[in-house]
């Protein structure tokens, strides 16, 4: 388990931070950008959870995802493939895919793109989805500079899908989605 006795260490004062293997990298590196975006996505999911009705079953799913995102942070902070490194697993991806399928089965079919909005919970989840997509783009850029775990990239891709269907679920299973009206006149 993690034990933090002191919050500040002064080791990052010069703009570097330590990775799991003890190496130091710039806080502005592509890897750290990805870790920061994953942290922001996790925080946005935490905000979204506060918008859920008490006892909403989605809360437990989002709580598990938040824990998975800490695993993902550890994965991203561990270069190479050292023995015993905490990595996103195929089981975590499969669980997320099953969660997507379970929510999607109850949704009305889409006949337009969905605008972020609707209920407060849906809007908050859409924001978390957009941040997750940014984290995925950052992960792809970081992977272009050095190998990240393939499962880390897959997990981020599935997570944005999950958050999309979760947001639609919060809009009365898609019935109150805010749909895009392309080009023409729009109701004000």
């Amino acid at each position: 388990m993690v034990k933090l006795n002191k919050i500040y260490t002064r080791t990052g004062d010069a703009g570097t931070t330590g990775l799991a293997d003890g190496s130091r990298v710039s806080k502005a590196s592509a890897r750290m950008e990805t870790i920061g975006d994953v942290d922001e996505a996790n925080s946005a999911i935490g905000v979204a959870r506060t918008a859920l009705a008490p006892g909403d079953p989605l809360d437990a799913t989002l709580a598990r995802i938040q824990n998975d995102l800490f695993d993902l942070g550890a994965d991203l902070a561990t270069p190479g493939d050292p023995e015993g490194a905490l990595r996103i697993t195929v089981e975590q991806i499969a669980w997320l895919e099953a969660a997507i399928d379970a929510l999607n089965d109850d949704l009305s079919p889409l006949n337009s793109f969905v605008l972020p909005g609707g209920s407060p919970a849906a809007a908050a989840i859409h924001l978390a989805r957009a941040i997750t997509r940014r984290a995925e783009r950052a992960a792809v850029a970081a992977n272009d500079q050095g190998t990240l775990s393939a499962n880390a990239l897959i997990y981020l891709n599935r997570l944005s899908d999950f958050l999309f269907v979760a947001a639609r679920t919060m809009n009365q299973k898609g019935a109150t989605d805010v749909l895009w009206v392309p080009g023409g006149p729009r109701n004000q």
Side-chain angles (χ1 to χ4, degrees), residues 115 180-188:
L115 299 178
W180 174 47
V181 178
R186 293 176 173 92
N187 293 335
Q188 305 274 345

Side-chain angles (χ1 to χ4, degrees), residues 1-21:
M1 230 27 197
V2 175
K3 182 179 178 183
L4 299 173
N5 290 325
K6 193 170 184 176
I7 300 304
Y8 65 90
T9 62
R10 296 186 175 117
T11 59
D13 291 351
T16 65
T17 192
L19 297 177
D21 66 353

Side-chain angles (χ1 to χ4, degrees), residues 43-65:
S43 297
I45 290 170
V47 171
R49 290 180 64 198
T50 68
L52 299 176
D56 190 306
L58 185 59
D59 187 56
T61 304
L62 292 175
R64 176 169 173 174
I65 288 169

Side-chain angles (χ1 to χ4, degrees), residues 7-91:
I7 300 304
Y8 65 90
T9 62
R10 296 186 175 117
T11 59
D13 291 351
T16 65
T17 192
L19 297 177
D21 66 353
S23 64
R24 299 203 61 82
V25 297
S26 168
K27 290 182 179 184
S29 72
R31 182 182 296 270
M32 293 312 301
E33 184 78 22
T34 304
I35 291 169
D37 287 347
V38 167
D39 184 37
E40 187 178 347
N42 201 343
S43 297
I45 290 170
V47 171
R49 290 180 64 198
T50 68
L52 299 176
D56 190 306
L58 185 59
D59 187 56
T61 304
L62 292 175
R64 176 169 173 174
I65 288 169
Q66 284 190 287
N67 278 280
D68 282 351
L69 288 175
F70 263 68
D71 291 353
L72 178 59
D75 187 329
L76 295 169
T78 307
D81 196 20
E83 177 94 16
L86 182 57
R87 298 288 187 202
I88 289 293
T89 66
V90 294
E91 291 80 14

Side-chain angles (χ1 to χ4, degrees), residues 98-158:
I100 293 167
D101 293 342
L103 288 180
N104 201 46
D105 282 347
D106 291 337
L107 294 179
S108 58
L110 278 174
N111 55 18
S112 179
F113 288 108
V114 175
L115 299 178
S119 71
I125 293 169
H126 274 298
L127 179 59
R129 176 191 52 78
I131 295 167
T132 298
R133 289 177 56 126
R134 178 169 17 101
E136 181 184 11
R137 290 189 304 272
V140 169
N143 193 51
D144 288 347
Q145 295 179 11
T147 305
L148 299 182
S149 156
N151 286 340
L153 297 171
I154 294 168
Y155 188 89
L156 282 168
N157 185 269
R158 294 302 179 283

